[in-house]
Amino acid sequence: MLRRRGSTEALAGDESLSDTVPAGPVPALDLDTVRRTYPGGVTALDGVSLRVPAGRMVAVLGRSGSGKSTLLQCAAGLDRPTSGTVRIGGTGLAGLGEAALTRLRRDRVGFVFQSLNLVPSLSVLENAALPLLLAGREPGGRARAALAAVGLADRAEDRPARLSGGQRQRVAVARALVTEPDVVFADEPTGALDPVTAAEVLALLRHAADDGRTVVMVTHDPVAAAWADEAVFLHAGRVAAHEAAPRAEAVRALLHELGRGSREGVDEWPHLSPDPLPYGPGALARRGRAAAPSHERSPR
Ligand SMILES: Nc1ncnc2c1ncn2[C@@H]1O[C@H](COP(=O)(O)OP(=O)(O)OP(=O)(O)O)[C@@H](O)[C@H]1O
């Protein structure tokens, strides 16, 4: 099991964090043995544990149906796990009623979800200010500052329809960051963008993490994952692998191996072997592919 100070800890299977929590800063995001079984019986998450310190950017990858969106929904307090715990900044979500949960999401969480589109009838500035307006807070200069930070100060009065896809996604990032949240959740934030525009959006998320926010991003794109500090791979609702300082090439190879494993059948799939993280940095090092320090990484 992987344990590294100051980094995301992804724990596979049933291992509980509860008796292993180290002394030190409270993680920005802490999932402990989270399970989510949907009505009808599909278990989308099967005991996922993940601890992310402040200021880290984590990419969540896996094949279609592996549980990525469900993980994001549960981690963001948009869905409630069937069992296990989710904590944001030390606050357990299970103990919160709907009103308190809504407040926590509003004040401490930012979202860049493809499904959460901009409001077409509002200006770009009003869209960026929306979380503050909904909270009854005075946007003041904060929404303008958030727009300036994503390079769109001069488009404040435009309607979203007049922006390109990449510009709209940058407004979505501004809107996610306007409340200065602890954690930003992004679901395929670059899925519909060309590589250059995608890089601009990823750089904004990277900058947010460098600024102390925690960013959890679901992506299918190995290149996008290479902007993260860590990549976590899901398979059949479990954390199957964990790669520090991911490079696009290594992520691609891991996804390929996960695909092979799934074709061979779950029973033969190596994450169920005694080594719960066969693709973790240790295993990579054994194969002569030690993870590179992040300062040496190129996201492309
Ligand atoms: N509301 C739901 N009701 C029942 N089953 C669901 C529901 N949402 C997801 N599932 C099932 O849970 C499993 C995980 O789905 P999830 O959407 O989390 O996967 P994903 O990795 O995000 O997939 P994709 O990459 O295709 O978006 C799948 O088997 C899916 O069919």
Side-chain angles (χ1 to χ4, degrees), residues 10 29 50-51 72 84 88 105 119 148 161 164 177 184 197 227 287:
L29 178 68
L50 187 68
R51 189 184 301 134
L72 216 60
I88 291 181
R105 280 198 306 260
V119 181
S164 70
L177 295 175
V184 176
T197 314
W227 287 78
R287 293 180 216 170

Side-chain angles (χ1 to χ4, degrees), residues 249-270:
E249 191 184 306
V251 170
R252 212 169 275 124
L254 282 165
L255 286 172
H256 181 70
E257 289 190 55
L258 289 177
R260 266 196 8 224
S262 107
R263 276 197 295 280
E264 284 161 7
V266 167
D267 288 346
E268 295 166 40
W269 206 72

